[in-house]
Every structure is written in structure tokens, then in C-alpha cells.
Amino acid sequence: MREVHIAGAAVHPFGKSRGKTAADLGYDAVTRLLTTTSIGPDLIDVGYCGSSYGGSLLAQRVLQRVGVSGQPVYTVENACASGASALHLAWQAVASGAADCAVAFGTENLSGFGGGALPLTTNDIEIELGLVMPAAYAMRAQRHLHDFGATEADLTMVSIKNRRNGAANPRAHFQAEVSADQVENSRPVADPLRLLHCCPNSDGAAAVLVCSSDLAREIGTPTVRIRASVVRSGRFHTSYRDMTWPDITARTAEAAYEMAGVRPSDLDLVELHDAFSIAELLHAEALGIAARGKAHRAIADGEFDRDGRVAVSPSGGLLSRGHPVGATGVVQVCETYWQLTGQAGRLQVPAASVGLTHVTGGGIYGVDNGACAVHILTSD
């Protein structure tokens, strides 16, 4: 397997883009990427697009507009892990030698759904009975708070931290800090979660250029190395489900650490799937950056702050940056790329050299999540 590098990143800022389709947003992000890296479309061997709601042949509809025509391109749907799964396939193509240069992007426009919870897969017994993602995470929160002594105030601290980080991110949906009173007085969604414990439905797109070492040197832009790219699906079972332990995250992360040859203690920053405030506690523990049941203490002690032991969601995470489903896994990598190349500006984590991105999602019967992707990037 060859070394694989990211030689460029670009984002269409997240927020509400009514009147723009997912293809429009993706076109903007990919165009910015090609401009940033100064490469022509003929150099791209293969393209991968991640999206859950963008419709069929979305990859073609975006890439043909930028001049990538005739090359193999693929649209990938893997729930919230769609964009990261697209990146994983791009990594596979370059690592195997099947391609020297690939574009991986994710794009989504969720404005058309209006407000409220996103629609989930049909013909699923739990969803047919009324399960929506806020309710699923509320159950996880209730159990975690019960078992480990955390409180709703600890959930609120996650929102405060990530909204504070996002306030400095020009690409974020929300660019304002919030107080504890604002969070705790926001309207109830699913006990104990309130509105500001939940990420917004956003529109947006993100793209990265994935290439071999030789081509990365030719392009000449700052690069980072993909040390690990791992995707896993949930294990099906109908027995007891531990709502406090995201097994899919733990398994995916373990495989990624082994592939990269690093440990959780080596990480300088983590962009994780904080779709709800409780998710940061659950996934931080499953990723091994906090002991089980202790993540709320790490947050309270400032260990996950931008200048703490390991910066968690220094870009603002989903809670502040937003969650256009197909784009989330790619924008996490964009943010990490800028961190590791010293281009993060006000978001910069001091001396960052190792970063991990994590995204998981897909509520279906019998598994804790449908798909999970973890990438580990380094500055060398």
C-alpha cells in the first residue's frame, strides 16, 4: 500500500443556503478546491461524492460541471458517514495504485426539510414505531447520566465549549458563544436534551484532494498524510443494548490506531461526531481519550479545550459548525488538514501534528449505528 496524502481542502460555508441544490453546493466546494490547488480536472483519476439526501448521480452532476468528465465517479450513501466513506474509497484507490489523484467531497442541502428531526430509513421496525435521532440520543443521555453521575449541566458545558470554538470559525453555521442560561433555558427537545444540546440541520459542502506522495510533491501545496482510514458497520444483534457504549466507534477507532501506529495519548486534536452534546461524552470514551464514565470530568477540567490535553472539536463540531449529513465527514478532515498545516488561524491548536476525525450515524434496528468512519492524519 502506498502512502496517501491530502494536498488541499475547500468548504462551502455551512448554514442555510435556500435556493441552492446539493449539486450547487458541491460544485462550489470542488471549484474552490481546484482553484486552491491549481490543478486541472484532467489530473483527477476518480471522484467520490458522499450524500444522503442529494439524489442519484450526484457525483456526476457536480464533477461534470467542473470538467471531470469520462472518469469513473461514484455517489456514496452511508448515512452520516457518507462523506467520510467517500474519502475512505478515495484513499483505497490511491493506496492501491489504482489512481494517483482523487477528489472526495460531501454535499447536502437540508433546508428543504424545514425544521425538526430528519427523516430516517423506512421499513425499519424501530423507526416505524416512532424512533427519531433526538430520542435515541436522549435515551443514551439518560442512561449515561444515571450510570456515571454526570448531570445536565455537564451536557451544557459541551455546548458552551463547542459554540465558543465555533464562534471563531468563519465556516460555521453558528458563530456566537452561548451561556449556560441560554442553553438551559432553550426549549426542551427530548429529556434531558434541549435545543442547544442539539446540532442544527445545515446546508454545506466540503472537498479534499487525495493523492500519492509523488503527485503531492509536484502540486506543491501543504500536505498531510492519511495514516489510517477505517470504516466499519454496526454488529447486528437483538439482545441487550448498552446505551452508554458506542461499540461501533470503539471497534473502528481500535482498527485505526493499529493501522496508524499511534495511541489515543498521541492525539493533539479530535473532530468527533457531536450531533448531540451527550455524543461527545460517549464517543470521547469510546475513542479512548477519556476513561469510561469520566469524559464529563475531562470537559469540566478543560482537558478538551483548544489549549487542553487534547482539543476536541476545535472547529466548533457539529453543535456549532452544523451537520449537512453528507458533508460532515469531509469537513472534519478539512478542518484537521488546516490544523496540521498551520492554516487554522484563530482556531489553531498549538503545535498540532496528529489529528483524528470520527463520524458515525444511521439509525437502524439491531445495531448501535449503521456506519462509522475514523481517519488519522499526521503532519509528516
Side-chain angles (χ1 to χ4, degrees):
M1 301 288 278
R2 299 191 299 176
E3 288 187 9
V4 181
H5 295 259
I6 292 176
V11 172
H12 181 291
F14 289 11
K16 294 298 182 184
S17 297
R18 294 180 177 88
K20 290 187 177 181
T21 66
D24 294 333
L25 300 172
Y27 169 77
D28 182 86
V30 175
T31 299
R32 294 183 190 213
L33 177 68
L34 298 184
T35 300
T36 299
T37 55
S38 299
I39 68 166
D42 290 343
L43 192 64
I44 297 168
D45 297 316
V46 61
Y48 300 92
C49 168
S51 183
S52 284
Y53 300 100
S56 65
L57 298 178
L58 183 56
Q60 283 89 340
R61 287 187 278 125
V62 170
L63 294 177
Q64 286 174 357
R65 289 172 64 182
V66 301
V68 178
S69 181
Q71 297 97 313
V73 299
Y74 305 87
T75 301
V76 181
E77 190 282 309
N78 225 2
C80 300
S82 295
S85 296
L87 174 58
H88 175 68
L89 294 174
W91 169 82
Q92 282 187 342
V94 175
S96 68
D100 284 322
C101 183
V103 167
F105 69 99
T107 182
E108 212 80 78
N109 185 304
L110 302 180
S111 292
F113 292 113
L118 290 176
L120 300 178
T121 306
T122 56
N123 300 319
D124 181 279
I125 186 172
E126 291 185 350
I127 295 167
E128 294 290 342
L129 291 171
L131 182 68
V132 292
M133 295 313 296
Y137 275 93
M139 288 190 287
R140 292 169 179 158
Q142 291 285 20
R143 191 70 205 186
H144 192 278
L145 301 190
H146 174 272
D147 287 358
F148 300 114
T151 66
E152 187 175 327
D154 293 308
L155 302 181
T156 295
M157 291 187 70
V158 176
S159 298
I160 292 171
K161 172 180 71 69
N162 292 354
R163 287 289 292 268
R164 181 173 65 242
N165 289 343
N169 188 347
R171 296 168 293 277
H173 189 152
F174 294 136
Q175 298 176 33
E177 298 187 29
V178 294
S179 66
D181 283 345
Q182 286 176 297
V183 178
E184 292 168 1
N185 290 322
S186 61
R187 66 176 176 84
V189 173
D191 191 31
L193 302 179
R194 294 179 174 272
L195 184 63
L196 295 185
H197 293 134
C198 309
C199 71
N201 293 342
S202 307
D203 310 325
V208 293
L209 188 72
V210 183
C211 58
S212 64
S213 299
D214 290 343
L215 186 56
R217 283 191 289 270
E218 288 182 27
I219 294 171
T221 54
T223 67
V224 298
R225 183 176 171 188
I226 303 178
R227 291 279 183 168
S229 177
V230 178
V231 175
R232 292 289 186 269
S233 60
R235 285 176 172 163
F236 179 82
H237 64 87
T238 57
S239 58
Y240 166 76
R241 192 182 311 176
D242 186 345
M243 301 295 283
T244 70
W245 185 247
D247 172 73
I248 191 172
T249 292
R251 289 188 294 108
T252 309
E254 182 179 6
Y257 291 136
E258 182 177 358
M259 180 183 293
V262 303
R263 299 169 296 178
S265 58
D266 295 320
L267 301 175
D268 297 308
L269 67 114
V270 171
E271 290 284 348
L272 57 71
H273 191 82
D274 61 325
F276 301 89
S277 54
I278 183 60
E280 180 160 321
L281 306 185
L282 299 173
H283 295 307
E285 294 169 12
L287 291 170
I289 59 174
R292 188 164 187 186
K294 305 295 184 183
H296 64 286
R297 296 185 181 179
I299 293 168
D301 292 341
E303 294 182 27
F304 291 174
D305 289 351
R306 188 176 293 126
D307 58 355
R309 173 173 57 84
V310 53
V312 177
S313 296
S315 70
L318 281 64
L319 286 169
S320 184
R321 193 184 57 241
H323 185 30
V325 178
T328 291
V330 182
V331 78
Q332 291 176 329
V333 173
C334 292
E335 297 286 357
T336 304
Y337 168 82
W338 288 316
Q339 288 283 355
L340 300 184
T341 56
Q343 302 179 77
R346 294 170 61 197
L347 304 176
Q348 189 66 52
V349 174
S353 63
V354 184
L356 178 148
T357 68
H358 157 268
V359 62
T360 184
I364 59 174
Y365 170 65
V367 300
D368 58 346
N369 272 137
C372 180
V374 170
H375 288 85
I376 296 177
L377 311 176
T378 62
S379 57
D380 58 344

